[in-house]
Amino acid sequence: MSQENVERFRAAIIAWNGEDLERYLAATDPALIFHTSGAFLPHDPVYRGHAGFRAFWRTFHEAWERLDIDVARM
């Protein structure tokens, strides 16, 4: 993984944990494809692009009070 990608990933995790959607999206590709586990019914199996991720973010935060990502090693 390039250092640039490491920094983008790190920025995305910090934004996610800070519940800052706009900052998270700024660290991701506008053409992102986000797959869910399929275990939680309110969520679609796949969300596409920033618009799709915004829809995921809304349904996710309606269902969960908080979920932080803790990266142990890169």
Side-chain angles (χ1 to χ4, degrees):
M1 181 182 283
S2 73
Q3 188 60 36
E4 178 184 352
N5 285 344
V6 169
E7 294 307 319
R8 287 181 74 182
F9 180 73
R10 185 174 284 130
I13 298 304
I14 290 168
W16 175 278
N17 289 344
E19 299 183 7
D20 187 340
L21 174 59
E22 295 309 314
R23 197 165 150 206
Y24 179 87
L25 292 175
T28 62
D29 188 314
L32 74 92
I33 300 173
F34 185 82
H35 295 265
T36 64
S37 68
F40 303 105
L41 295 178
H43 304 297
D44 294 335
V46 178
Y47 294 87
R48 296 182 187 282
H50 283 176
F53 194 85
R54 286 178 198 285
F56 165 76
W57 186 271
R58 281 191 302 277
T59 60
F60 179 85
H61 282 88
E62 288 171 2
W64 299 95
E65 182 176 319
R66 184 171 184 98
L67 181 125
D68 286 343
I69 299 170
D70 184 20
V71 179
R73 184 173 26 148
M74 279 193 236

